[in-house]
Amino acid sequence: MTKALGYLTLVLTLAFAASPLWSGDFAGFTADQLPVPQIDPPIQPASYAFAIWGPIYLWLAISAIYGVIYRAADPAWDAVRVPLCISLGVGVPWLLIAQVSAVWATITIFIMTASAILALIRTPARDRRWLRGPVALYSGWLTAASFVSLCTTLAGYDVLLNGYHWAFVGIIGALAVTIATYARAATPVYLFAVIWALIGICANNGMQNFLVTATALTGIVVLICIMAMWAPRINQQT
């Protein structure tokens, strides 16, 4: 059974990485998907930031291949594989879902995020480059992306706030989840992925939405400080 989990992880990882080939790229919901069109919402990172999916796909694929070859029957890896397979399994059709329904895309991306974070928390201290690193990069970007999806959708359905104000909620919400996750699995790669998303938000808003940019910059500083504070603990675990 343990070997089957390793092969299942590999198959789902490769299918997930190949999904853009038949689903197309995704850089945000289109205007006609929401009752109140969200054109370039403030919570959304600049388009270049989505290039992080390249390293995510590649590193996850390398991890899955390594796992099949060297960790096929490792119980510690299997504990990670179960929630990771759930996340990847939902992720395979996600691009198609996102092109059809913003609501279902938001629901499913939170399922992906929650299971990816659980996988990260379960990663053993060893095999940082082969397991914890790729899972951390993946779950970190999903942490940010899930709040982008949520806040864009809520603004698109005119729930309580407009897109500008939901941007603040989304940044703070993503930071709260990031800090809570980092307290359980202190992995700098995870913070890097979230910081990358925040940099993209800064680039997208610039001085035009200065307060949104300032909030994202504050989040970057906070995460860098947390990373520096936790560095001695991480070094002790290495």
Side-chain angles (χ1 to χ4, degrees):
M1 182 63 182
T2 52
K3 289 185 178 181
L5 270 176
Y7 284 105
L8 177 61
T9 304
L10 176 60
V11 170
L12 288 174
T13 299
L14 295 179
F16 180 59
S19 61
L21 297 178
W22 64 75
S23 303
D25 294 329
F26 178 80
F29 301 122
T30 58
D32 59 353
Q33 285 184 267
L34 297 162
V36 180
Q38 299 298 299
I39 301 173
D40 196 20
I43 187 63
Q44 186 168 295
S47 58
Y48 76 85
F50 291 85
I52 194 175
W53 277 113
I56 290 173
Y57 290 142
L58 179 60
W59 206 357
L60 284 175
I62 292 172
S63 173
I65 294 170
Y66 178 91
V68 165
I69 297 174
Y70 298 106
R71 300 287 187 269
D74 192 323
W77 276 62
D78 281 348
V80 177
R81 285 168 175 146
V82 172
L84 182 59
C85 282
I86 294 173
S87 182
L88 295 172
V90 176
V92 171
W94 188 85
L95 288 172
L96 291 174
I97 295 171
Q99 294 171 29
V100 175
S101 171
V103 173
W104 279 107
T106 300
I107 293 171
T108 50
I109 200 172
F110 267 93
I111 294 173
M112 291 171 63
T113 303
S115 50
I117 287 175
L118 178 58
L120 173 61
I121 292 172
R122 290 184 176 183
T123 54
R126 64 184 178 88
D127 290 329
R128 289 179 178 272
R129 294 179 182 176
W130 300 110
L131 183 61
R132 178 170 287 188
V135 174
L137 190 65
Y138 172 59
S139 57
W141 179 256
L142 282 179
T143 299
S146 59
F147 279 94
V148 172
S149 181
L150 175 64
C151 293
T152 302
T153 300
L154 290 173
Y157 280 89
D158 199 23
V159 178
L160 297 178
L161 306 171
N162 59 25
Y164 177 76
H165 292 100
W166 273 119
F168 297 102
V169 177
I171 292 171
I172 294 171
L175 286 172
V177 172
T178 299
I179 294 170
T181 301
Y182 196 72
R184 295 290 304 276
T187 309
V189 175
Y190 175 77
L191 292 191
F192 168 79
V194 179
I195 289 172
W196 178 257
L198 292 173
I199 292 172
I201 292 174
C202 292
N204 189 40
N205 287 276
M207 296 301 294
Q208 182 178 357
N209 294 321
F210 174 74
L211 290 180
V212 175
T213 300
T215 303
L217 281 172
T218 301
I220 292 170
V221 172
V222 168
L223 295 182
I224 291 175
C225 289
I226 290 174
M227 191 186 304
M229 289 171 58
W230 280 66
R233 177 176 173 177
I234 296 174
N235 292 334
Q236 290 176 359
Q237 295 176 350
T238 304

